[in-house]
DNA sequence: ACCTGAACACCGTTCAAGT
DNA sequence: ACCTGAACACCGTTCAAGT
């Protein structure tokens, strides 16, 4: 029973904001946003609950760090020689994919706006490209907002409901709608919601928005 | 000190699912989603906490009833003689306005999908109109989804962050971005986010989507 | 310096009991 | 029938103390 101070330190010492955030992201991927508590995360890390408060002021700051960790994991695609439209399309597809890979991020970012430098990177890149295309600041901001909302919203409604009870309640309600008041939904409701997700649907709507932006760009000179 | 059984009953007897849901909605409007607990709502109603569980299986079911109450409060606009495009535009503007009037609904519906008959009414009306316009079931579902996501997402990001601490943290982060890595945001960031909301912005994007849908409708005959 | 148990003020919900 | 206090298993966070 010889003590092993080195091994012990190896397990304890590397604790850092990044370490904790990475572990929290993994925990969220496995168990969902509702399951993450400071107590459980600490237990998962093998430390006391209060240790976390040595690294983060509160839970909100920790969640910001998680968003940041995810953004670092999937860095914003560099523009290279792409024209503005395919670039913005790729940017939004990347973000969409990232949100579907880490669905808990949707809830986090909806609850507390965007608040970390890494999270602003995609905004910077998108605005830059739109600005280069010849849009004014105001136009670029509006165009980016539309693309962002659609991408984010699409991911939000595409993510299957994590709460089993809610999902069942929704399906039951849909099935029980009175036929006379809901002719379309009772006849073809299932079909409607089957297609509610779907990547091709998202891309088509994205193209629609990009084309709309393109119409405004056209008169100014495409970059 | 004569007992007043009638007066006492007047204060107690009218308790019902609808009564409770209406009171919960008012509470949410005043204090926000995070502030609503079963305990506080019961106190607001002047009853014991457990009384609520005689009317709702759990908190989720109560929140569903709140969504329902709001939908009943602002019934879906009847179509009348409107053509499909102005009708859908009006439908989405109504929904947008409703969500801004009751911002807590955004969080509720994001957390637990759509699950009550009243909440399905707008879907039914929208699909009906798109179907009448000549779209197939699949096309109508896709078009409605795009409009719904945009309207919902727009309201979600337009609603100012209810959590003061988060809002301050976000603003501070934006102000502190390094100039070399974020040239656009540091130079014009404030301007970008000032315009982030704004009703006219929402309507313009809505028209963009409607025009996109219209392009598909055009070849089939407008109703 | 870094960590942490105990405690406080909350949750949603079950249970068993009140009228 | 309708209501409810006590209790259980949780939260986030403050505080004071440990090493």
């Amino acid at each position: 029973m010889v003590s092993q101070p080195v091994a012990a330190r190896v397990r304890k010492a590397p604790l850092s904001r990044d370490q904790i955030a990475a572990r929290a992201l993994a925990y969220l991927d496995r168990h969902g946003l509702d399951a993450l508590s400071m107590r459980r995360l600490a237990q998962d890390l093998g430390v006391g609950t209060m240790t976390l408060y040595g690294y983060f002021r509160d839970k909100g700051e920790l969640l910001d760090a998680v968003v940041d960790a995810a953004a670092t994991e999937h860095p914003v695609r560099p523009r290279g020689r792409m024209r503005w439209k395919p670039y913005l399309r790729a940017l939004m597809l990347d973000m969409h994919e990232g949100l579907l890979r880490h669905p808990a991020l949707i809830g986090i970012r909806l609850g507390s706006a965007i608040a970390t430098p890494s999270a602003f990177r995609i905004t910077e890149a998108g605005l830059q490209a739109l600005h280069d295309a010849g849009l004014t600041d105001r136009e670029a901001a509006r165009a980016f907002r539309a693309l962002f909302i659609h991408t984010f919203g699409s991911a939000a409604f595409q993510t299957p409901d994590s709460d089993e009870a809610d999902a069942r309640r929704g399906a039951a309600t849909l099935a029980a709608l009175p036929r006379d008041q809901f002719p379309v939904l009772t006849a073809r409701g299932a079909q409607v919601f089957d297609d509610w997700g779907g990547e091709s649907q998202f891309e088509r709507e994205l193209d629609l928005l990009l084309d709309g932006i393109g119409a405004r760009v056209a008169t100014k000179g495409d970059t």
Side-chain angles (χ1 to χ4, degrees), chain A residues 88-89 91-97 99-100 106 122 144-158 202 205-206 209:
Chain A
L88 274 164
R89 192 176 197 276
L91 232 42
M92 292 301 133
L93 283 172
D94 287 347
M95 174 174 148
H96 196 252
E97 200 186 329
L99 288 174
L100 293 185
I106 297 166
I122 190 170
F144 185 79
R145 188 189 105 108
L147 292 169
F148 185 89
I149 284 176
H150 188 74
T151 302
F152 198 95
S154 197
F157 284 99
Q158 193 166 338
F202 165 64
E205 291 158 2
L206 187 58
L209 287 171

Side-chain angles (χ1 to χ4, degrees), chain A residues 84-85 88-89 147 205-215:
Chain A
W84 72 268
K85 207 192 272 193
L88 274 164
R89 192 176 197 276
L147 292 169
E205 291 158 2
L206 187 58
D207 287 332
L208 194 62
L209 287 171
L210 286 168
D211 288 345
I213 296 164

Side-chain angles (χ1 to χ4, degrees), chain A residues 23-61:
Chain A
R23 192 77 166 230
L25 180 58
Y27 191 95
L28 287 169
D29 289 343
R30 270 199 315 265
H31 304 108
L33 184 53
D34 290 344
L36 184 79
S37 72
M38 298 301 266
R39 289 166 139 99
R40 287 207 265 241
L41 177 59
Q43 196 169 25
D44 190 59
L45 284 160
V47 299
T49 303
M50 295 321 299
T51 302
L52 299 178
Y53 287 85
Y55 296 88
F56 303 97
R57 182 180 304 277
D58 53 28
K59 193 180 181 183
E61 203 179 280

Side-chain angles (χ1 to χ4, degrees), chain A residues 60-77:
Chain A
E61 203 179 280
L62 191 157
L63 291 179
D64 279 355
V66 171
V67 173
D68 219 74
T72 306
E73 187 186 316
H74 309 287
V76 171
R77 171 195 299 263

Side-chain angles (χ1 to χ4, degrees), chain A residues 72-141:
Chain A
T72 306
E73 187 186 316
H74 309 287
V76 171
R77 171 195 299 263
R79 177 147 179 204
R81 300 194 159 282
M82 294 176 89
R83 285 185 303 119
W84 72 268
K85 207 192 272 193
Y87 180 58
L88 274 164
R89 192 176 197 276
L91 232 42
M92 292 301 133
L93 283 172
D94 287 347
M95 174 174 148
H96 196 252
E97 200 186 329
L99 288 174
L100 293 185
R101 207 199 308 282
H102 305 294
L105 296 181
I106 297 166
I108 296 176
R109 296 189 66 169
L110 228 137
S112 68
I114 316 146
T116 88
S118 299
F120 279 122
R121 263 177 225 290
I122 190 170
T123 305
E124 176 72 20
L127 288 178
Q128 185 69 258
L130 289 164
H131 202 257
D132 290 350
L135 294 185
T136 66
D137 291 348
R138 180 179 290 268
E139 289 171 329

